[in-house]
Amino acid sequence: MLHQRLRFLHSPSLLHHHLLHQPTKSKSHFYPLKLFSMATSSSSNSHNYTNRLVSEQSPYLLQHAHNPVEWYPWGEEAFSLARKRDVPIFLSIGYSTCHWCHVMEVESFEDEGVAKLLNDWFVSIKVDREERPDVDKVYMTYVQALYGGGGWPLSVFLSPDLKPLMGGTYFPPDDKYGRPGFKTILRKVKVAWDSKRDMLVKSGASAIEQLSEALSASSVSDKLPDGVPEEALGLCSEQLSGSYDSKYGGFGSAPKFPRPVEINLMLYHSKKLEDTGKLGEANGSRKMVFFSLQCMAKGGIHDHIGGGFHRYSVDECWHVPHFEKMLYDQGQLANVYLDAFSITKDTFYSRIARDILDYLRRDMIGPEGEIFSAEDADSAEFEGAARKKEGAFYIWTREEVDDILGDHAALFKEHYYIKQSGNCDLSKMSDPHDEFKGKSVLIERKDASEMAAKYAMSVETYQEILGESRRKLFEVRSRRSRPHLDDKVIVSWNGLVISSFARASKILKCEAEGTKFNFPVVGTEPKEYLAIAEKAASFIRKQLYNVETRRLHHSFRNSPSKAPGFLDDYAFLISGLLDLYEFGGGINCLSWAIELQETQDALFLDRDGGGYFNNTGEDRSVLLRVKEDHDGAEPSGNSVSAINLIRLASMISGSKAEHYKRNAEHLLAVFENRLKDMAMAVPLMCCAADMLRVPSRKQVVVIGKRTSEEFESMLAAAHSLYDPNKTVIHIDPNNKEEVEFWEVNNSNIALMAKNNYKDNNKVVALVCQNFTCSPPVTDHSSLEALISQKPPSSST
């Protein structure tokens, strides 16, 4: 194991294991919930200190601009100063909505005594991990490899040439419980630097060398051996099923993260099982998924009042969350709820998808369509409060609910388990320090139909009362001090959400006519969601894309960041653009996706060894180029890229399609061992490997006037059933740009349009697979029937 080799390599150090490793949960970046009051004084207009971060754009860096610590941003000015002074660098990495980053700031970085030690003995650098994921990846990988776990804030000591010397995560300011405090650690590092410098620098350089070797895997084989994709898919499903919580839903134990890639795999595998006649197994997998999605939606991890989902639940029952809201969660969760609706046609799932998207539309979208990154967990309990508390914006007392809801308070309190003593008592992990005593986090524990019968009313009336009650609480909550909004625009995360808005525009058209929704769901006309996706994509092209160089910037706040686009930015945006095209966007979406794929290949592809590196390698201060494969809270850039290449190969013909397919095959061959040995770590890559072995993806081709209602209905029909191995192509023969695009990129589509479009008033659709196309159909119900036909049981 790499971390064992590195531990041995570093064992002579005074500090590496005993002093610097803090007990975070491996691979989950979880800290036990203990609410901490954060000072709000830093937001005051009068400041005793100002450092170089004041000129930065990152909200996280700006939060530290008035610390007494002489912070520098990541860059040559700080590096050269460390070399000139011949002192180590203290690198602190976090993000603006990170609770424990705030804690360490208040405890240590606002402390003048700590600041003096840092300023005298180190050059201190602050990095926003969301702005510079490439820098974070280097030193997080080091800490995880060395100690088996990691998290934020990430605290690492570096040599002036940026080699890691030792590291950890959050440190309390003073020694406690037999563990060293931050001030003790600073003194120990100073002594170690003065007395054991050569050993530290040598071991740091060796660590980077070993990490570089381990994390830049390559493959001499250009494709996976036969049988590996099917085995990996089955193994991952089996491993996830083995970790399934049949009582509360979800996979794994507390803390529970809504890892949508796990849902993606289970639904994908269940579709494969269904298509091969294994209905019992398919239904078993889906049952786990649907129950998990229901428990999450009913739990406190879901913001019942304002919509959207919090980051994770600290307990096993999805009740008490860590309250920050991240954009990447919203985009992926909206998509899995849309998938569940596609399979079941149960509006419970479409309502939750709408709930997420309507939250984003209301609170997270800027004036030009840009979509912001995150909302903090912490806020002031009351106006003028000197301290912020986690969850203050979201929790309620019984008295507040009584005062606001009046006659309907009893019904609402029973439905959401609101109690005088507070309701965070469902698990010993929910509130171990009694921080929520007397407060309630809303959770649905009652069945609506049973409750409606108890109160002698229809379910519809009962739901209307709940909706109106939520609206009243929302209005009161809106007058509270809001959590900090990180209004940074990140390309990769916008790509995830562009996908979900685009997909919602057609999938939600399958809701039964007259379906009613209650607050916070607005009841948006589905096609409006497509406009939101298009506007977000337009913002990125206008503000974050250089048409001449065909390169992306990574993020935007007031202006583009200095950081270039990374692999995830290209991969996630391409995925979003492919969805935007397939679900009704213009041909320009597909053209741009192809253009971006060419740039991605030029910047990140290992042409000899296969797969994509996470960064371009052009920034010499970033010591590692990593081929990431782990599908965690976000999918890996390589997993998404493999699927993008497969999708592009199904749309484009000729040598370019073969090129896409070869790159996908070589990419997956790089990660053969991961697929065989650790499938549960790469669920989306397991899906990609199986997609590649499908002999022929189903193609649905819709031909007609784009502006007609029937064209919209045909596209909705094309997307009416869940099928991840389907490609939807649409062409308006009256649109010269579209016809020319297909004549160049896939002449079969252009010819199909020419031969089947005889009547300007009719929309035609064909379903093609295994080099054969169905007879054309001219109404959406016939298309639905056509695509719902089951493949032969021998299908692979």
Side-chain angles (χ1 to χ4, degrees), residues 111-123:
D111 182 278
E112 292 180 350
V114 171
K116 185 172 185 350
L117 298 181
L118 283 169
N119 297 339
D120 288 349
W121 295 341
F122 304 90
V123 171

Side-chain angles (χ1 to χ4, degrees), residues 548-596:
E548 293 180 3
T549 63
R550 296 188 172 188
R551 289 193 178 198
L552 290 165
H553 291 275
H554 170 63
S555 62
F556 180 98
R557 188 174 185 270
N558 301 321
S559 64
S561 67
K562 300 168 195 167
F566 303 107
L567 172 62
D568 288 2
D569 296 309
Y570 286 86
F572 294 9
L573 180 57
I574 290 167
S575 178
L577 290 171
L578 292 177
D579 282 333
L580 185 49
Y581 168 72
E582 287 201 49
F583 285 80
I587 198 68
N588 58 308
C589 301
L590 182 52
S591 296
W592 191 22
I594 292 169
E595 195 173 282
L596 286 168

Side-chain angles (χ1 to χ4, degrees), residues 11 109 133 142 233 260 282 289 309 379 383 385 523 614 663 750 754 756 773:
S11 60
F109 303 145
Y142 165 81
L233 189 69
V289 167
F309 281 77
S379 60
E383 191 172 346
N614 67 325
N663 282 348
K754 181 180 179 181
N756 289 280
C773 291

Side-chain angles (χ1 to χ4, degrees), residues 27-249:
K27 296 184 176 62
S28 70
H29 312 142
F30 166 73
Y31 298 96
L33 180 70
K34 184 179 189 304
L35 295 191
F36 186 90
S37 298
M38 256 65 67
T40 59
S41 58
S42 62
S43 62
S44 167
N45 289 326
S46 60
H47 305 289
N48 294 325
Y49 303 95
T50 299
N51 56 53
R52 284 166 176 77
L53 300 185
V54 76
S55 301
E56 296 297 305
Q57 294 183 2
S58 157
Y60 176 62
L61 299 190
L62 290 171
Q63 286 171 355
H64 293 264
H66 300 290
N67 295 162
V69 178
E70 294 174 4
W71 292 114
Y72 287 77
W74 182 264
E76 184 54 37
E77 182 184 11
F79 310 152
S80 61
L81 180 62
R83 292 193 296 268
K84 182 179 178 181
R85 288 179 55 196
D86 195 27
V87 296
I89 291 167
F90 170 63
L91 174 63
S92 176
I93 303 179
Y95 55 104
S96 75
T97 59
C98 164
H99 174 73
W100 286 92
C101 300
H102 301 329
V103 173
M104 195 163 177
E105 179 188 16
V106 172
E107 290 180 337
S108 294
F109 303 145
E110 291 182 352
D111 182 278
E112 292 180 350
V114 171
K116 185 172 185 350
L117 298 181
L118 283 169
N119 297 339
D120 288 349
W121 295 341
F122 304 90
V123 171
S124 298
I125 297 178
K126 256 298 169 191
V127 166
D128 181 342
R129 69 166 293 262
E130 295 171 357
E131 192 174 62
R132 291 302 303 260
D134 54 337
V135 176
D136 176 64
K137 185 67 182 179
V138 174
Y139 300 107
M140 179 62 76
T141 302
Y142 165 81
V143 169
Q144 288 178 325
L146 198 59
Y147 307 121
W152 297 279
L154 185 66
S155 305
V156 189
F157 296 91
L158 315 179
S159 64
D161 64 351
L162 309 180
K163 303 298 192 301
L165 308 176
M166 52 198 75
T169 52
Y170 160 78
F171 299 111
D174 300 304
D175 300 354
K176 277 183 182 177
Y177 312 118
R179 297 200 328 229
F182 191 49
K183 285 179 275 195
T184 296
I185 285 166
L186 294 178
R187 294 187 182 101
K188 294 282 189 180
V189 173
K190 163 68 171 165
V191 170
W193 178 253
D194 290 342
S195 62
K196 300 176 184 283
R197 179 184 314 191
D198 291 345
M199 183 198 71
L200 289 175
V201 171
K202 183 178 179 181
S203 62
S206 298
I208 287 295
E209 188 178 326
Q210 289 193 47
L211 287 171
S212 179
E213 181 184 340
L215 297 171
S216 56
S218 62
S219 175
V220 292
S221 171
D222 58 4
K223 63 193 306 183
L224 282 172
D226 292 342
V228 170
E230 186 175 8
E231 290 169 12
L233 189 69
L235 176 62
C236 189
S237 177
E238 181 183 327
Q239 290 173 336
L240 286 172
S241 298
S243 69
Y244 174 65
D245 182 343
S246 59
K247 185 174 182 181
Y248 296 112

Side-chain angles (χ1 to χ4, degrees), residues 321-391:
H322 174 48
F323 287 90
E324 67 182 318
K325 289 180 173 180
M326 307 302 296
L327 185 62
Y328 57 78
D329 284 324
Q330 314 308 324
Q332 293 179 89
L333 284 169
N335 267 335
V336 295
Y337 279 99
L338 287 169
D339 287 341
F341 172 70
S342 291
I343 295 166
T344 64
K345 297 301 183 281
D346 184 342
T347 53
F348 173 88
Y349 302 107
S350 67
R351 176 176 62 82
I352 301 302
R354 285 176 172 272
D355 166 292
I356 297 167
L357 299 176
D358 290 348
Y359 152 67
L360 293 176
R361 188 179 188 185
R362 185 190 66 236
D363 289 345
M364 299 295 286
I365 297 183
E368 296 182 56
E370 70 274 30
I371 308 175
F372 302 137
S373 296
E375 288 194 292
D376 205 343
D378 309 308
S379 60
E381 278 193 291
F382 51 87
E383 191 172 346
R387 302 274 173 181
K388 292 182 178 181
K389 285 191 174 181
E390 176 161 10

